[in-house]
Amino acid sequence: MRPLLLVVAVIFLPGCGIDMAPAGPPQHDTKTVPRDKAEMVKVELHMGAGEMRLQGGAKELLEADFEYNVASWKPEVRYSNTGVRGYLTVEQPNGSKMANSNRYIWNMKLNDETPMDVKVKFGAGEADLNLGSLLLRSVDVEMGVGQIKLDLRGDPKRDYDVHVRGGVGEATIYVPREVGVYADASGGIGGIDARGLRQEGHHYINDAYEKAKVKIHLDVRGGVGAIHLIGD
């Protein structure tokens, strides 16, 4: 299954080639980006194919551990600060060659106290995004092929919007019960499964929505695959 996902990922990543040479031994690379005085940070994560694991709990802005067995796939981490807004980017290098046998895993933690806009562009594989503890301003996820779990359960202090665009695969989104949730969702062949939310017309809401002071608005569009919305 994984070699097939890698081939399909090429479609979503123009400029990537296919390298059939044997992969090397696993390598580890750790990266820490110190937290500074930025009032908000825009986080962009771009992965072609592999496993992405993201959660809160970092003391610094970013604490990451990368594992890969193709040397040219070493992730590029960049950070800049304009004085008010910070820009953090983690991405697979441009022009990376797809290997026939690969191991590519990103384990990342973000700081819970810095307001963030989080954008994830994911080509193929599996993504586990546990973002409920973060101080979110917005979330934007674009998936090509594979599975994604987006966990937003937490205690948000402000409203924020979530946009999810799925390609071929399955998306499971967990939402908190204590805040208002409004979801515009449309799926492809796999359809939509909502648990703990009720459907009203073309959208879904939870029981807390009418009176909640904090609300999450989701805009979810699926391609070929299933969308699961879980609010219990």
Side-chain angles (χ1 to χ4, degrees):
M1 180 65 179
R2 187 159 295 173
L4 174 60
L5 294 179
L6 290 175
V7 172
V8 178
V10 176
I11 299 174
F12 293 90
L13 293 175
C16 288
I18 300 178
D19 183 1
M20 303 304 291
Q27 301 182 49
H28 281 273
D29 185 40
T30 60
K31 183 69 176 181
T32 298
V33 176
R35 186 186 179 199
D36 58 18
K37 296 183 179 180
E39 297 179 10
M40 63 191 74
V41 174
K42 182 176 182 179
V43 179
E44 294 197 10
L45 309 174
H46 300 165
M47 174 186 276
E51 298 178 32
M52 180 186 295
R53 302 165 187 165
L54 178 65
Q55 62 182 346
K59 293 182 179 180
E60 301 296 342
L61 183 62
L62 171 71
E63 298 170 2
D65 179 87
F66 305 113
E67 184 176 347
Y68 50 94
N69 61 357
V70 178
S72 62
W73 285 22
K74 180 178 179 179
E76 297 176 348
V77 179
R78 299 185 296 275
Y79 179 72
S80 62
N81 184 349
T82 65
V84 175
R85 179 183 286 270
Y87 296 88
L88 173 64
T89 302
V90 182
E91 65 180 347
Q92 188 174 343
N94 290 332
S96 291
K97 301 279 187 185
M98 295 297 178
N100 187 40
S101 174
N102 79 97
R103 183 172 180 83
Y104 202 53
I105 301 173
W106 295 4
N107 286 297
M108 298 173 291
K109 292 183 179 181
L110 294 171
N111 184 269
D112 289 335
E113 299 176 3
T114 302
M116 292 183 177
D117 298 293
V118 177
K119 183 175 182 178
V120 177
K121 188 172 183 180
F122 188 74
E126 298 179 6
D128 187 349
L129 312 176
N130 191 342
L131 309 184
S133 67
L134 300 179
L135 191 55
L136 294 169
R137 290 164 41 89
S138 68
V139 178
D140 191 341
V141 178
E142 181 180 340
M143 181 183 73
V145 181
Q147 295 182 337
I148 183 169
K149 183 180 80 171
L150 175 60
D151 194 337
L152 301 173
R153 290 173 294 185
D155 185 23
K157 306 303 182 185
R158 55 167 292 161
D159 299 352
Y160 65 89
D161 294 335
V162 179
H163 298 271
V164 178
R165 296 293 180 269
V168 180
E170 184 177 51
T172 302
I173 303 172
Y174 296 87
V175 296
R177 298 176 58 184
E178 295 76 14
V179 302
V181 175
Y182 181 107
D184 284 312
S186 64
I189 295 175
I192 300 170
D193 168 36
R195 194 172 76 198
L197 298 95
R198 65 180 184 271
Q199 185 172 2
E200 294 190 354
H202 297 290
H203 64 267
Y204 301 81
I205 63 174
N206 65 351
D207 291 338
Y209 181 75
E210 300 294 342
K211 298 182 179 180
K213 294 182 179 180
V214 176
K215 297 181 179 180
I216 300 173
H217 183 276
L218 291 96
D219 182 11
V220 184
R221 299 289 180 265
V224 180
I227 298 172
H228 306 286
L229 301 176
I230 301 177
D232 56 11

